[in-house]
């Protein structure tokens, strides 16, 4: 795996330098298909290389630092898998420095356009079903968005606020003077600097906050009740129909109990990866999930509509940790233990 990773970086360097052969280009495309995070980085580098040029060293330094921050993904999430995480860093640094020099020698942005370099303090980022994206926020924090996610940021001098629907992994830059607040439909998570995963899709029956390191305070937004999480803990909020407290047309208050529970995050028994954040590393991992929940997960992951056309099958439970290129391969793997069949028509898979 590390050899393939080194090969990817080597071919990316040749692509950026403009001396890659057609055979090597085909090999690079094949490798990047299995690693969308690196594809995103290469596209970003090429975009900056081809954009209006500037020799301004300060601008180039900012780009370089952003690319180096993205390389910290493996240390942020896959640390248990890397016994020698810095073994390949010299080669990677050489390649990125080469890309940085290309950018610094070809990018020429005038002073009037320079304001557009930094991300605005108010912005919206979104990922479609079937894609996962990375984003550097204005404060230097990093966020990875899973498929079908919308993130709206509103940063000011006193607070760093984001509103999210979907799932995101956050690597928050520490700033004790400006709390980082993540708002979902039912939770408000306050951090100063930490790594955590937040899952809050509107059509899921639960919302989850999983803390990797640091500390967070999670407030249930209806009752205002606070929960403090420590590393390797997660809070699961189970939504019920009508749990949103508010007034109907007659002015009567509607309120149902929201179920909250604390538990430990889950580690894979095979390789000690964290199941809650495995999606960041392009893997589907789940434990004791219903087929109905998996249909939603797979729909977002592969960008295809999956329905369970059998009520008895909806509650059947599955555990798995794998990486497949398409939904049909995933369906075939589940069939061995699931006792179901499926049929694909267009962009819809029906399980029966």
């Amino acid at each position: 795996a590390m050899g393939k990773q080194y090969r990817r970086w080597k071919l990316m360097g040749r692509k950026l330098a403009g001396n890659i052969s057609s055979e090597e280009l085909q090999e690079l495309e094949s490798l990047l298909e299995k690693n969308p995070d690196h594809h995103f980085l290469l596209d970003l580098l090429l975009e900056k290389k081809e954009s209006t040029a500037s020799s301004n060293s300060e601008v180039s330094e900012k780009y370089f630092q952003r690319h180096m921050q993205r390389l910290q993904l493996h240390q942020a999430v896959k640390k248990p898998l890397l016994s020698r995480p810095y073994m390949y860093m010299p080669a990677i640094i050489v390649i990125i420095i080469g890309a940085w020099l290309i950018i610094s020698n070809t990018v020429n942005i005038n002073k009037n356009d320079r304001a557009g370099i930094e991300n605005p303090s108010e912005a919206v980022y979104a990922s479609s079903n079937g894609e996962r994206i990375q984003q550097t926020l204005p404060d230097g924090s990093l966020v990875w968005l899973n498929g079908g996610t919308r993130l709206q940021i509103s940063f000011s001098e006193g607070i760093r606020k984001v509103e999210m629907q979907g799932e995101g992994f956050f690597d928050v830059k520490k700033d004790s003077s400006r709390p980082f607040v993540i708002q979902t439909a039912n939770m408000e998570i306050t951090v100063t600097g930490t790594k955590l995963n937040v899952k809050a899709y509107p059509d899921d029956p639960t919302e989850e906050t999983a803390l990797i390191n640091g500390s967070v305070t999670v407030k249930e937004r209806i009752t205002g009740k606070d929960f403090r999480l420590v590393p390797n803990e997660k809070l699961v909020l189970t939504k019920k129909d009508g749990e949103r407290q508010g007034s109907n047309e007659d002015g009567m208050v509607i309120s149902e109990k929201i179920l909250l529970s604390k538990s430990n995050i889950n580690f894979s028994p095979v390789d000690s990866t964290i199941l809650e954040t495995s999606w960041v590393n392009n893997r589907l991992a789940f434990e004791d999930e219903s087929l109905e929940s998996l249909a939603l997960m797979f729909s977002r992951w592969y960008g295809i509509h999956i329905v369970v056309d059998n009520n008895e099958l909806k509650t059947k439970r599955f555990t798995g940790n794998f990486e497949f290129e398409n939904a049909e391969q995933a369906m075939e793997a589940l069939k061995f233990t699931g006792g179901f069949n499926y049929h694909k028509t267009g962009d819809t898979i029906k399980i029966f």
Side-chain angles (χ1 to χ4, degrees):
M2 295 302 290
K4 287 184 178 180
Q5 179 178 327
Y6 177 79
R7 180 64 175 168
R8 273 197 303 269
W9 286 112
K10 184 176 180 180
L11 292 175
M12 285 170 66
R14 291 185 178 178
K15 170 72 172 175
L16 289 165
N19 62 356
I20 189 170
S21 67
S22 58
E23 292 81 7
E24 289 174 331
L25 183 60
Q26 186 175 0
E27 180 186 356
L28 177 60
E29 288 298 326
S30 177
L31 290 171
L32 291 180
E33 281 180 5
K34 300 178 180 180
N35 198 303
D37 294 333
H38 289 174
H39 213 315
F40 174 84
L41 175 57
L42 179 60
D43 289 343
L44 184 62
L45 285 166
L46 289 171
E47 178 186 345
K48 299 308 176 187
K49 176 186 174 183
E50 295 169 2
S51 65
T52 309
S54 168
S55 58
N56 185 283
S57 60
E58 181 181 351
V59 172
S60 301
E61 174 67 21
K62 289 177 182 177
Y63 285 136
F64 174 66
Q65 292 299 331
R66 290 184 191 177
H67 300 324
M68 290 303 295
Q69 284 177 324
R70 288 189 174 91
L71 293 179
Q72 297 170 2
L73 168 63
H74 290 292
Q75 292 158 20
V77 181
K78 290 187 71 176
K79 192 173 181 179
L81 291 179
L82 299 178
S83 59
R84 290 186 292 172
Y86 301 104
M87 184 170 63
Y88 290 91
M89 285 306 292
I92 294 173
I93 290 173
V94 167
I95 294 168
I96 297 302
I97 288 176
W100 174 43
L101 291 174
I102 291 172
I103 293 168
S104 65
N105 289 328
T106 59
V107 177
N108 195 359
I109 302 173
N110 63 43
K111 189 176 294 185
N112 293 331
D113 293 333
R114 203 166 292 162
I117 295 169
E118 291 299 323
N119 290 331
S121 59
E122 295 188 5
V124 175
Y125 309 108
S127 60
S128 303
N129 284 340
E131 72 170 349
R132 285 153 292 285
I133 65 174
Q134 299 168 302
Q135 184 63 47
T136 302
L137 302 185
D139 66 332
S141 296
L142 304 177
V143 61
W144 290 261
L145 302 182
N146 207 346
T149 298
R150 182 181 187 275
L151 184 75
Q152 180 173 347
I153 69 167
S154 179
F155 285 13
S156 65
E157 292 185 3
I159 191 171
R160 296 170 289 170
K161 178 183 175 183
V162 302
E163 298 180 30
M164 192 190 74
Q165 291 183 348
E167 183 171 17
F169 177 80
F170 295 84
D171 187 351
V172 178
K173 186 175 182 180
K174 188 172 182 179
D175 185 350
S176 57
S177 65
R178 284 200 307 166
F180 192 99
V181 178
I182 305 167
Q183 285 191 343
T184 68
N186 296 285
M187 296 187 297
E188 183 176 279
I189 305 131
T190 303
V191 305
T192 52
T194 188
K195 296 180 178 69
L196 72 158
N197 195 79
V198 180
K199 185 178 181 182
Y201 287 103
D203 49 356
D204 276 1
T206 62
E207 290 188 6
E208 297 183 9
T209 300
L211 183 62
I212 310 305
N213 65 32
S215 64
V216 299
T217 300
V218 183
K219 177 184 289 186
E220 195 281 295
R221 294 182 66 184
I222 301 301
T223 64
K225 188 173 182 180
D226 288 338
F227 295 84
R228 185 82 170 178
L229 295 183
V230 299
N232 296 339
E233 277 190 339
K234 72 175 181 179
L235 181 70
V236 179
L237 182 151
T238 302
K239 298 179 284 186
K240 297 290 184 180
D241 292 339
E243 90 277 12
R244 298 292 297 170
Q245 183 174 346
S247 300
N248 62 15
E249 293 180 354
D250 298 326
M252 297 181 64
V253 174
I254 303 170
S255 179
E256 294 288 339
K257 184 177 181 181
I258 295 176
L259 303 178
L260 294 143
S261 62
K262 263 189 185 183
S263 62
N264 293 326
I265 62 176
N266 297 298
F267 291 88
S268 168
V270 177
D271 54 16
S272 298
T273 55
I274 301 171
L275 296 187
E276 284 80 2
T277 60
S278 62
W279 64 269
V280 181
N281 295 299
N282 209 35
R283 292 191 66 83
L284 276 168
F286 45 91
E287 184 174 6
D288 197 34
E289 287 282 353
S290 69
L291 188 58
E292 185 175 28
S293 296
L294 288 180
L296 276 175
M297 183 188 300
F298 284 21
S299 295
R300 297 168 188 146
W301 189 264
Y302 293 110
I304 190 170
H305 187 50
I306 302 175
V307 296
V308 184
D309 194 25
N310 183 316
N311 288 331
E312 293 183 1
L313 284 174
K314 288 182 178 180
T315 57
K316 193 171 182 66
R317 319 297 289 191
F318 292 86
T319 296
N321 187 342
F322 52 73
E323 179 179 354
F324 293 117
E325 293 185 1
N326 54 58
E328 292 94 320
Q329 292 179 2
M331 291 295 103
E332 287 294 330
L334 291 180
K335 270 182 61 177
F336 285 107
T337 56
F340 66 80
N341 289 309
Y342 72 91
H343 179 70
K344 184 176 182 293
T345 305
D347 61 353
T348 299
I349 288 180
K350 183 175 290 187
I351 297 174
F352 57 92

